[in-house]
Coordinates of all heavy atoms in Angstrom, one line a residue:
M1 N 14.2 -10.5 5.3 CA 12.9 -10.8 4.7 C 12.9 -10.5 3.2 O 13.2 -9.4 2.8 CB 11.8 -10.0 5.4 CG 10.4 -10.1 4.8 SD 9.1 -9.0 5.4 CE 9.1 -9.3 7.2
T2 N 12.5 -11.5 2.4 CA 12.4 -11.3 1.0 C 11.0 -10.8 0.7 O 10.1 -10.8 1.5 CB 12.7 -12.6 0.2 OG1 11.6 -13.5 0.5 CG2 14.0 -13.2 0.5
Y3 N 10.9 -10.2 -0.5 CA 9.6 -9.7 -1.0 C 8.6 -10.8 -1.0 O 7.4 -10.6 -0.6 CB 9.7 -9.0 -2.3 CG 8.4 -8.4 -2.8 CD1 8.0 -7.2 -2.1 CD2 7.7 -8.9 -3.8 CE1 6.8 -6.6 -2.5 CE2 6.5 -8.3 -4.2 CZ 6.1 -7.2 -3.6 OH 4.9 -6.6 -4.0
Q4 N 8.9 -12.0 -1.4 CA 8.0 -13.1 -1.5 C 7.5 -13.5 -0.1 O 6.3 -13.8 0.1 CB 8.5 -14.3 -2.3 CG 8.8 -14.0 -3.7 CD 7.5 -13.5 -4.4 OE1 6.4 -14.0 -4.1 NE2 7.6 -12.6 -5.3
T5 N 8.4 -13.6 0.9 CA 7.9 -13.9 2.2 C 7.1 -12.8 2.8 O 6.1 -13.1 3.5 CB 9.1 -14.2 3.1 OG1 10.0 -13.0 3.2 CG2 9.9 -15.4 2.7
Y6 N 7.4 -11.6 2.5 CA 6.5 -10.5 2.9 C 5.1 -10.6 2.4 O 4.1 -10.5 3.1 CB 7.2 -9.1 2.5 CG 6.2 -8.0 2.6 CD1 5.8 -7.5 3.8 CD2 5.7 -7.4 1.5 CE1 4.9 -6.4 3.9 CE2 4.8 -6.3 1.5 CZ 4.4 -5.9 2.7 OH 3.5 -4.8 2.8
I7 N 5.1 -10.8 1.1 CA 3.8 -10.9 0.4 C 3.0 -12.1 1.0 O 1.8 -12.0 1.2 CB 3.9 -11.1 -1.1 CG1 4.4 -9.8 -1.7 CG2 2.6 -11.6 -1.8 CD1 3.4 -8.7 -1.6
S8 N 3.6 -13.3 1.1 CA 2.8 -14.4 1.7 C 2.4 -14.2 3.1 O 1.2 -14.5 3.5 CB 3.7 -15.7 1.6 OG 4.8 -15.6 2.4
A9 N 3.2 -13.5 3.9 CA 2.8 -13.2 5.3 C 1.7 -12.2 5.4 O 0.7 -12.4 6.1 CB 4.0 -12.7 6.1
I10 N 1.7 -11.1 4.6 CA 0.7 -10.1 4.6 C -0.6 -10.6 4.0 O -1.7 -10.3 4.5 CB 1.2 -8.8 4.0 CG1 0.3 -7.6 4.4 CG2 1.2 -8.9 2.5 CD1 0.5 -7.2 5.9
E11 N -0.5 -11.4 3.0 CA -1.8 -11.9 2.4 C -2.4 -12.9 3.3 O -3.7 -12.9 3.4 CB -1.5 -12.5 1.0 CG -1.2 -11.5 -0.1 CD -0.9 -12.1 -1.4 OE1 -0.8 -13.3 -1.5 OE2 -0.9 -11.3 -2.4
S12 N -1.7 -13.7 4.0 CA -2.2 -14.7 4.9 C -2.9 -13.9 6.1 O -4.1 -14.3 6.4 CB -1.1 -15.5 5.5 OG -1.6 -16.4 6.5
A13 N -2.3 -12.9 6.6 CA -2.9 -12.1 7.7 C -4.2 -11.4 7.2 O -5.2 -11.3 7.9 CB -1.9 -11.1 8.2
E14 N -4.1 -10.9 5.9 CA -5.3 -10.2 5.4 C -6.5 -11.1 5.2 O -7.6 -10.8 5.5 CB -5.0 -9.6 4.0 CG -4.2 -8.3 4.2 CD -3.8 -7.7 2.8 OE1 -4.0 -8.4 1.8 OE2 -3.4 -6.5 2.8
K15 N -6.2 -12.4 4.7 CA -7.3 -13.3 4.6 C -7.9 -13.7 5.9 O -9.2 -13.7 6.0 CB -6.8 -14.6 3.9 CG -6.5 -14.4 2.4 CD -5.9 -15.7 1.8 CE -5.5 -15.4 0.4 NZ -4.9 -16.6 -0.2
C16 N -7.1 -13.9 6.9 CA -7.6 -14.2 8.3 C -8.4 -13.1 8.8 O -9.5 -13.2 9.5 CB -6.5 -14.6 9.2 SG -5.7 -16.1 8.7
C17 N -7.9 -11.9 8.6 CA -8.6 -10.7 9.1 C -10.0 -10.5 8.4 O -11.0 -10.2 9.0 CB -7.7 -9.4 8.8 SG -8.1 -8.0 9.7
D18 N -10.0 -10.8 7.1 CA -11.3 -10.8 6.3 C -12.3 -11.8 6.9 O -13.5 -11.5 7.0 CB -11.1 -11.0 4.8 CG -10.4 -9.8 4.2 OD1 -10.4 -8.7 4.8 OD2 -9.8 -10.0 3.1
V19 N -11.8 -13.0 7.2 CA -12.7 -14.0 7.7 C -13.3 -13.6 9.0 O -14.5 -13.7 9.2 CB -11.9 -15.4 7.8 CG1 -12.8 -16.4 8.6 CG2 -11.6 -15.9 6.5
A20 N -12.5 -13.1 9.9 CA -13.0 -12.6 11.2 C -13.9 -11.4 11.0 O -15.0 -11.3 11.7 CB -11.8 -12.2 12.1
S21 N -13.7 -10.5 10.1 CA -14.6 -9.4 9.8 C -15.9 -9.9 9.3 O -17.0 -9.4 9.7 CB -13.9 -8.5 8.8 OG -14.8 -7.4 8.5
K22 N -15.9 -10.9 8.5 CA -17.2 -11.4 8.0 C -18.0 -12.1 9.1 O -19.2 -12.0 9.1 CB -16.9 -12.4 6.8 CG -16.5 -11.8 5.5 CD -16.2 -12.8 4.5 CE -15.7 -12.1 3.2 NZ -15.3 -13.0 2.2
K23 N -17.3 -12.8 10.0 CA -18.0 -13.4 11.1 C -18.7 -12.3 12.0 O -19.8 -12.5 12.4 CB -17.0 -14.1 12.0 CG -16.5 -15.5 11.5 CD -15.6 -16.1 12.5 CE -14.9 -17.3 12.0 NZ -13.9 -17.9 12.9
M24 N -18.0 -11.2 12.2 CA -18.6 -10.1 13.0 C -19.8 -9.5 12.3 O -20.8 -9.2 12.9 CB -17.5 -9.0 13.3 CG -16.5 -9.4 14.3 SD -15.5 -8.1 14.9 CE -14.8 -7.4 13.4
K25 N -19.7 -9.4 11.0 CA -20.8 -8.8 10.2 C -22.0 -9.7 10.2 O -23.1 -9.3 10.3 CB -20.3 -8.5 8.8 CG -19.4 -7.3 8.7 CD -19.0 -7.0 7.3 CE -18.0 -5.8 7.2 NZ -17.5 -5.6 5.9
E26 N -21.7 -11.0 10.1 CA -22.8 -12.0 10.2 C -23.5 -12.0 11.5 O -24.8 -12.0 11.6 CB -22.3 -13.4 9.9 CG -21.9 -13.7 8.5 CD -21.3 -15.1 8.3 OE1 -21.2 -15.8 9.3 OE2 -20.8 -15.3 7.2
L27 N -22.8 -11.9 12.6 CA -23.4 -11.8 13.9 C -24.1 -10.5 14.2 O -25.1 -10.5 14.8 CB -22.3 -12.0 15.0 CG -21.7 -13.4 15.1 CD1 -20.5 -13.5 16.0 CD2 -22.7 -14.4 15.6
K28 N -23.6 -9.4 13.6 CA -24.3 -8.1 13.7 C -25.6 -8.1 13.0 O -26.6 -7.6 13.4 CB -23.4 -7.0 13.3 CG -24.0 -5.7 13.4 CD -23.0 -4.6 12.9 CE -23.8 -3.2 12.9 NZ -23.0 -2.2 12.2
G29 N -25.6 -8.7 11.8 CA -26.8 -8.7 10.9 C -27.1 -7.3 10.5 O -26.2 -6.5 10.2
N30 N -28.4 -6.9 10.5 CA -28.9 -5.6 10.1 C -29.0 -4.7 11.3 O -29.5 -3.5 11.1 CB -30.2 -5.7 9.3 CG -30.0 -6.4 8.0 OD1 -28.9 -6.4 7.4 ND2 -31.0 -7.1 7.5
E31 N -28.7 -5.1 12.5 CA -28.8 -4.3 13.6 C -27.8 -3.2 13.7 O -26.7 -3.4 13.3 CB -28.7 -5.1 14.9 CG -29.7 -6.2 15.1 CD -29.6 -6.9 16.4 OE1 -29.5 -6.2 17.4 OE2 -29.6 -8.1 16.4
S32 N -28.2 -2.0 14.1 CA -27.3 -1.0 14.4 C -27.8 -0.1 15.5 O -29.0 0.1 15.7 CB -27.1 -0.1 13.1 OG -28.3 0.6 12.8
G33 N -26.8 0.3 16.3 CA -27.1 1.1 17.5 C -27.1 2.6 17.1 O -27.3 3.0 15.9
A34 N -26.8 3.4 18.1 CA -26.7 4.9 17.9 C -25.6 5.2 16.9 O -24.5 4.6 17.0 CB -26.5 5.5 19.2
M35 N -25.8 6.0 16.0 CA -24.9 6.5 15.0 C -24.3 5.3 14.2 O -23.1 5.4 13.7 CB -23.7 7.3 15.7 CG -24.2 8.5 16.4 SD -23.1 9.4 17.4 CE -21.6 9.4 16.5
G36 N -25.0 4.2 14.0 CA -24.6 3.1 13.2 C -23.6 2.2 13.8 O -23.0 1.4 13.1
L37 N -23.4 2.3 15.1 CA -22.4 1.5 15.8 C -23.0 0.1 16.1 O -24.3 0.0 16.1 CB -21.9 2.1 17.1 CG -21.3 3.5 16.9 CD1 -21.0 4.1 18.3 CD2 -20.0 3.3 16.1
T38 N -22.2 -0.9 16.4 CA -22.7 -2.2 16.8 C -23.3 -2.1 18.1 O -22.7 -1.6 19.1 CB -21.5 -3.2 16.8 OG1 -20.9 -3.2 15.5 CG2 -22.0 -4.6 17.1
P39 N -24.6 -2.6 18.3 CA -25.2 -2.5 19.6 C -24.5 -3.3 20.7 O -23.8 -4.3 20.4 CB -26.6 -3.2 19.3 CG -26.7 -3.3 17.8 CD -25.4 -3.2 17.3
D40 N -24.7 -2.9 21.9 CA -24.0 -3.5 23.0 C -24.5 -4.9 23.2 O -23.7 -5.8 23.6 CB -24.2 -2.7 24.3 CG -23.5 -1.4 24.3 OD1 -22.5 -1.2 23.6 OD2 -24.0 -0.5 25.0
R41 N -25.7 -5.2 22.9 CA -26.2 -6.6 23.0 C -25.4 -7.5 22.1 O -25.1 -8.6 22.5 CB -27.7 -6.6 22.6 CG -28.4 -7.9 22.8 CD -29.8 -7.9 22.2 NE -29.8 -7.9 20.7 CZ -29.4 -8.9 19.9 NH1 -29.0 -10.0 20.4 NH2 -29.4 -8.7 18.6
V42 N -25.1 -7.1 20.9 CA -24.4 -7.9 20.0 C -22.9 -8.0 20.4 O -22.3 -9.1 20.4 CB -24.4 -7.3 18.5 CG1 -23.5 -8.1 17.6 CG2 -25.9 -7.3 18.0
K43 N -22.3 -6.9 20.9 CA -21.0 -7.0 21.4 C -20.8 -7.9 22.5 O -19.7 -8.4 22.8 CB -20.5 -5.6 21.8 CG -20.3 -4.6 20.7 CD -19.9 -3.3 21.3 CE -19.8 -2.2 20.2 NZ -19.4 -0.9 20.8
A44 N -21.8 -8.2 23.3 CA -21.7 -9.0 24.5 C -21.8 -10.5 24.1 O -21.5 -11.4 24.9 CB -22.8 -8.7 25.5
L45 N -22.2 -10.8 22.9 CA -22.3 -12.2 22.5 C -20.9 -12.9 22.4 O -19.9 -12.3 22.0 CB -22.9 -12.4 21.1 CG -24.3 -11.9 20.9 CD1 -24.7 -11.9 19.5 CD2 -25.3 -12.8 21.8
P46 N -20.7 -14.1 23.0 CA -19.4 -14.8 23.0 C -18.8 -15.0 21.6 O -17.6 -14.8 21.4 CB -19.7 -16.1 23.6 CG -21.0 -16.0 24.3 CD -21.8 -14.9 23.7
G47 N -19.7 -15.3 20.6 CA -19.2 -15.5 19.3 C -18.6 -14.2 18.7 O -17.6 -14.2 18.0
F48 N -19.3 -13.1 18.9 CA -18.8 -11.8 18.5 C -17.5 -11.4 19.1 O -16.6 -10.9 18.5 CB -19.9 -10.7 18.7 CG -19.5 -9.4 18.1 CD1 -19.9 -9.1 16.8 CD2 -18.8 -8.4 18.8 CE1 -19.5 -7.9 16.2 CE2 -18.5 -7.2 18.3 CZ -18.8 -6.9 17.0
R49 N -17.4 -11.6 20.4 CA -16.2 -11.3 21.2 C -15.0 -12.1 20.7 O -13.9 -11.6 20.5 CB -16.4 -11.5 22.7 CG -17.4 -10.4 23.2 CD -17.8 -10.5 24.6 NE -16.7 -11.0 25.5 CZ -17.0 -11.6 26.7 NH1 -18.2 -11.9 27.0 NH2 -16.0 -12.0 27.4
Q50 N -15.3 -13.4 20.3 CA -14.2 -14.3 19.8 C -13.8 -13.8 18.4 O -12.6 -13.7 18.2 CB -14.7 -15.7 19.7 CG -13.7 -16.6 19.1 CD -12.4 -16.8 19.9 OE1 -12.4 -16.7 21.1 NE2 -11.3 -17.1 19.2
A51 N -14.7 -13.4 17.6 CA -14.4 -12.9 16.2 C -13.7 -11.6 16.3 O -12.7 -11.3 15.6 CB -15.7 -12.7 15.4
K52 N -14.0 -10.7 17.3 CA -13.4 -9.4 17.5 C -11.9 -9.7 17.9 O -11.0 -9.0 17.5 CB -14.2 -8.6 18.5 CG -13.5 -7.3 18.9 CD -13.6 -6.3 17.7 CE -13.1 -5.0 18.2 NZ -12.5 -4.2 17.1
R53 N -11.7 -10.6 18.9 CA -10.4 -10.9 19.3 C -9.5 -11.4 18.1 O -8.4 -11.0 18.0 CB -10.4 -12.0 20.4 CG -10.3 -11.4 21.8 CD -10.0 -12.5 22.8 NE -10.9 -13.6 22.8 CZ -12.1 -13.7 23.4 NH1 -12.6 -12.6 24.1 NH2 -12.9 -14.7 23.3
E54 N -10.1 -12.3 17.3 CA -9.3 -12.8 16.2 C -9.0 -11.7 15.2 O -7.9 -11.6 14.7 CB -10.2 -13.9 15.4 CG -10.3 -15.2 16.2 CD -11.3 -16.1 15.5 OE1 -11.7 -15.8 14.4 OE2 -11.5 -17.2 16.1
F55 N -10.0 -10.8 14.9 CA -9.8 -9.7 14.0 C -8.7 -8.8 14.6 O -7.7 -8.4 13.8 CB -11.0 -8.9 13.9 CG -10.9 -7.6 13.0 CD1 -10.9 -7.7 11.6 CD2 -10.6 -6.4 13.6 CE1 -10.7 -6.6 10.8 CE2 -10.5 -5.3 12.8 CZ -10.5 -5.4 11.4
D56 N -8.7 -8.4 15.8 CA -7.7 -7.6 16.4 C -6.3 -8.2 16.4 O -5.3 -7.5 16.1 CB -8.1 -7.3 17.9 CG -9.2 -6.3 18.0 OD1 -9.6 -5.7 17.0 OD2 -9.8 -6.3 19.1
T57 N -6.2 -9.5 16.6 CA -5.0 -10.2 16.6 C -4.4 -10.2 15.2 O -3.2 -9.8 15.0 CB -5.1 -11.7 17.0 OG1 -5.7 -11.7 18.3 CG2 -3.8 -12.4 17.0
F58 N -5.2 -10.5 14.2 CA -4.7 -10.5 12.8 C -4.4 -9.1 12.3 O -3.4 -8.9 11.6 CB -5.6 -11.3 11.9 CG -5.7 -12.7 12.2 CD1 -6.9 -13.3 12.4 CD2 -4.6 -13.5 12.1 CE1 -7.0 -14.7 12.7 CE2 -4.6 -14.9 12.4 CZ -5.9 -15.5 12.7
F59 N -5.2 -8.1 12.7 CA -4.9 -6.8 12.3 C -3.6 -6.3 12.9 O -2.8 -5.6 12.2 CB -6.1 -5.9 12.7 CG -5.9 -4.5 12.2 CD1 -6.2 -4.2 10.8 CD2 -5.5 -3.4 13.0 CE1 -6.1 -2.9 10.3 CE2 -5.3 -2.2 12.5 CZ -5.6 -1.9 11.2
N60 N -3.4 -6.6 14.1 CA -2.1 -6.2 14.8 C -0.9 -6.9 14.1 O 0.1 -6.3 13.9 CB -2.1 -6.5 16.3 CG -1.0 -5.9 17.0 OD1 -0.6 -4.8 16.7 ND2 -0.5 -6.6 18.0
S61 N -1.1 -8.2 13.7 CA 0.0 -8.9 13.0 C 0.3 -8.2 11.6 O 1.4 -8.1 11.2 CB -0.3 -10.4 12.8 OG -1.4 -10.6 11.9
M62 N -0.8 -7.7 11.0 CA -0.6 -7.0 9.7 C 0.2 -5.7 10.0 O 1.1 -5.4 9.2 CB -1.9 -6.6 9.1 CG -2.6 -7.8 8.4 SD -4.2 -7.4 7.7 CE -4.3 -5.7 7.3
R63 N 0.0 -5.0 11.1 CA 0.7 -3.8 11.4 C 2.2 -4.1 11.7 O 3.0 -3.4 11.2 CB 0.1 -3.1 12.6 CG -1.3 -2.6 12.3 CD -1.9 -1.9 13.6 NE -1.1 -0.9 14.0 CZ -1.0 -0.5 15.3 NH1 -1.7 -1.1 16.2 NH2 -0.2 0.5 15.7
V64 N 2.4 -5.2 12.4 CA 3.8 -5.6 12.7 C 4.5 -6.0 11.4 O 5.7 -5.6 11.2 CB 3.8 -6.8 13.7 CG1 5.2 -7.4 13.9 CG2 3.3 -6.3 15.1
I65 N 3.9 -6.7 10.6 CA 4.5 -7.1 9.3 C 4.9 -5.9 8.5 O 6.0 -5.8 7.9 CB 3.6 -8.1 8.5 CG1 3.5 -9.4 9.3 CG2 4.2 -8.3 7.1 CD1 2.4 -10.3 8.7
N66 N 3.9 -5.0 8.4 CA 4.1 -3.8 7.6 C 5.2 -2.9 8.2 O 6.0 -2.2 7.4 CB 2.8 -3.0 7.4 CG 2.0 -3.6 6.3 OD1 2.5 -4.2 5.3 ND2 0.7 -3.5 6.5
S67 N 5.3 -2.8 9.5 CA 6.3 -2.0 10.1 C 7.7 -2.6 10.0 O 8.7 -1.9 9.9 CB 6.0 -1.8 11.6 OG 6.1 -2.9 12.3
A68 N 7.8 -3.9 9.8 CA 9.1 -4.6 9.7 C 9.6 -4.6 8.2 O 10.7 -4.8 8.0 CB 9.0 -6.0 10.2
A69 N 8.6 -4.4 7.3 CA 9.0 -4.5 5.9 C 9.7 -3.2 5.4 O 9.4 -2.1 5.9 CB 7.8 -4.7 5.0
P70 N 10.7 -3.3 4.5 CA 11.3 -2.1 4.0 C 10.3 -1.3 3.2 O 9.4 -1.8 2.6 CB 12.4 -2.7 3.1 CG 12.6 -4.1 3.5 CD 11.3 -4.5 4.1
K71 N 10.5 0.0 3.1 CA 9.6 0.9 2.4 C 9.5 0.5 0.9 O 8.5 0.7 0.3 CB 10.1 2.4 2.5 CG 9.8 2.9 3.9 CD 10.1 4.4 3.9 CE 9.7 5.0 5.3 NZ 9.9 6.4 5.3
A72 N 10.6 0.0 0.4 CA 10.6 -0.4 -1.0 C 9.5 -1.5 -1.3 O 8.8 -1.5 -2.3 CB 11.9 -0.9 -1.5
Y73 N 9.4 -2.4 -0.3 CA 8.4 -3.5 -0.4 C 7.0 -2.9 -0.4 O 6.1 -3.3 -1.1 CB 8.5 -4.5 0.7 CG 9.7 -5.4 0.6 CD1 9.9 -6.3 1.6 CD2 10.6 -5.3 -0.4 CE1 11.0 -7.2 1.6 CE2 11.8 -6.1 -0.4 CZ 11.9 -7.1 0.6 OH 13.0 -7.9 0.6
L74 N 6.8 -1.9 0.5 CA 5.5 -1.3 0.7 C 5.1 -0.6 -0.6 O 3.9 -0.6 -1.1 CB 5.4 -0.4 1.9 CG 5.8 -1.0 3.2 CD1 5.8 0.1 4.3 CD2 4.8 -2.1 3.6
K75 N 6.0 0.2 -1.2 CA 5.8 0.9 -2.4 C 5.5 0.0 -3.6 O 4.6 0.2 -4.4 CB 6.9 1.8 -2.7 CG 7.1 3.0 -1.8 CD 8.3 3.8 -2.1 CE 8.4 5.0 -1.1 NZ 9.6 5.8 -1.4
R76 N 6.3 -1.1 -3.6 CA 6.1 -2.1 -4.7 C 4.7 -2.7 -4.6 O 4.0 -2.9 -5.6 CB 7.2 -3.1 -4.7 CG 7.1 -4.2 -5.7 CD 8.3 -5.1 -5.6 NE 8.1 -6.3 -6.5 CZ 8.9 -7.3 -6.5 NH1 10.0 -7.3 -5.7 NH2 8.7 -8.3 -7.3
R77 N 4.3 -3.1 -3.4 CA 3.0 -3.7 -3.2 C 1.9 -2.7 -3.6 O 0.9 -3.1 -4.2 CB 2.8 -4.2 -1.8 CG 1.5 -4.9 -1.6 CD 1.6 -5.8 -0.3 NE 0.4 -6.5 -0.1 CZ -0.6 -6.0 0.6 NH1 -0.5 -4.9 1.3 NH2 -1.7 -6.8 0.7
R78 N 2.0 -1.5 -3.2 CA 1.1 -0.4 -3.5 C 0.9 -0.3 -5.0 O -0.2 -0.2 -5.5 CB 1.5 0.9 -2.9 CG 0.6 2.1 -3.2 CD 1.2 3.4 -3.0 NE 2.3 3.5 -3.9 CZ 3.4 4.4 -3.7 NH1 3.4 5.1 -2.6 NH2 4.3 4.5 -4.6
D79 N 2.0 -0.2 -5.7 CA 2.0 -0.1 -7.1 C 1.3 -1.3 -7.8 O 0.6 -1.1 -8.8 CB 3.4 0.1 -7.7 CG 4.0 1.4 -7.3 OD1 3.2 2.3 -6.9 OD2 5.3 1.5 -7.3
E80 N 1.6 -2.5 -7.3 CA 0.9 -3.7 -7.8 C -0.6 -3.7 -7.6 O -1.3 -4.1 -8.5 CB 1.5 -5.0 -7.2 CG 3.0 -5.2 -7.7 CD 3.6 -6.4 -6.9 OE1 3.0 -6.9 -6.0 OE2 4.8 -6.7 -7.3
R81 N -1.0 -3.2 -6.4 CA -2.4 -3.2 -6.1 C -3.1 -2.1 -7.1 O -4.2 -2.4 -7.6 CB -2.7 -2.8 -4.7 CG -2.5 -3.9 -3.7 CD -3.1 -3.6 -2.3 NE -2.9 -2.3 -1.9 CZ -2.0 -1.9 -1.1 NH1 -1.1 -2.7 -0.6 NH2 -1.9 -0.6 -0.7
R82 N -2.5 -1.0 -7.2 CA -3.0 0.0 -8.1 C -3.1 -0.4 -9.6 O -4.1 -0.2 -10.2 CB -2.2 1.3 -8.0 CG -2.4 2.0 -6.7 CD -1.6 3.3 -6.7 NE -1.8 4.0 -5.4 CZ -1.1 5.1 -5.0 NH1 -0.2 5.6 -5.8 NH2 -1.4 5.7 -3.8
A83 N -2.1 -1.1 -10.0 CA -2.1 -1.6 -11.4 C -3.2 -2.7 -11.6 O -3.9 -2.7 -12.6 CB -0.7 -2.2 -11.7
A84 N -3.4 -3.5 -10.6 CA -4.5 -4.5 -10.6 C -5.8 -3.8 -10.6 O -6.8 -4.3 -11.3 CB -4.3 -5.5 -9.5
K85 N -6.0 -2.8 -9.9 CA -7.3 -2.1 -9.8 C -7.6 -1.4 -11.1 O -8.7 -1.4 -11.5 CB -7.2 -1.0 -8.7 CG -8.5 -0.4 -8.3 CD -8.3 0.5 -7.1 CE -9.7 1.1 -6.7 NZ -9.5 2.0 -5.6
I86 N -6.6 -0.9 -11.8 CA -6.8 -0.2 -13.1 C -7.2 -1.3 -14.1 O -8.0 -1.1 -14.9 CB -5.5 0.6 -13.5 CG1 -5.4 1.8 -12.6 CG2 -5.6 1.0 -14.9 CD1 -4.1 2.5 -12.8
T87 N -6.5 -2.4 -14.0 CA -6.8 -3.5 -15.0 C -8.2 -4.0 -14.8 O -8.9 -4.3 -15.8 CB -5.8 -4.7 -14.8 OG1 -4.5 -4.1 -14.8 CG2 -6.0 -5.7 -15.8
I88 N -8.7 -4.1 -13.6 CA -10.1 -4.6 -13.4 C -11.1 -3.6 -13.8 O -12.1 -4.0 -14.4 CB -10.2 -4.9 -11.9 CG1 -9.4 -6.1 -11.5 CG2 -11.7 -5.2 -11.5 CD1 -9.3 -6.4 -10.0
A89 N -10.9 -2.3 -13.5 CA -11.9 -1.3 -13.9 C -11.9 -1.0 -15.3 O -11.8 -1.5 -16.3 CB -11.5 0.0 -13.1

């Protein structure tokens, strides 16, 4: 695995994960249950369950990609993110 293939794979998984997360937040709305958790009524909705499955799938794929990547790639990506964060702020 080259660094570029790692970056493209992890960014693709992150984008899909973000989309699924936004879907779940839209379905949840402003509702919150005990201690700020998602209410059971919302969790039972088919759309929410589908978005949760998608989120879990993409999150797991991110974990697999990161576990397969060499530590040098992880450190390089961390440094790039930190440098971009400093540049923005």
Side-chain angles (χ1 to χ4, degrees):
M1 172 188 306
T2 66
Y3 183 70
Q4 293 303 322
T5 57
Y6 163 71
I7 289 295
S8 64
I10 197 71
E11 285 180 352
S12 173
E14 283 178 347
K15 286 178 186 175
C16 294
C17 201
D18 288 342
V19 169
S21 177
K22 287 178 184 176
K23 284 182 191 176
M24 288 191 302
K25 287 179 183 177
E26 287 174 5
L27 291 169
K28 180 182 175 190
N30 292 332
E31 296 184 50
S32 64
M35 298 173 43
L37 300 174
T38 304
D40 291 337
R41 184 189 68 73
V42 175
K43 288 181 186 176
L45 296 173
F48 185 88
R49 290 174 40 206
Q50 176 64 28
K52 176 68 173 152
R53 263 193 306 277
E54 289 173 7
F55 177 84
D56 289 342
T57 301
F58 292 123
F59 186 78
N60 192 37
S61 67
M62 285 175 27
R63 291 178 61 210
V64 169
I65 293 167
N66 282 327
S67 67
K71 285 188 178 183
Y73 290 178
L74 302 175
K75 289 178 183 179
R76 181 176 168 187
R77 184 162 182 265
R78 178 198 65 202
D79 293 340
E80 289 174 356
R81 282 194 322 262
R82 286 181 179 173
K85 190 175 183 180
I86 291 171
T87 306
I88 293 171

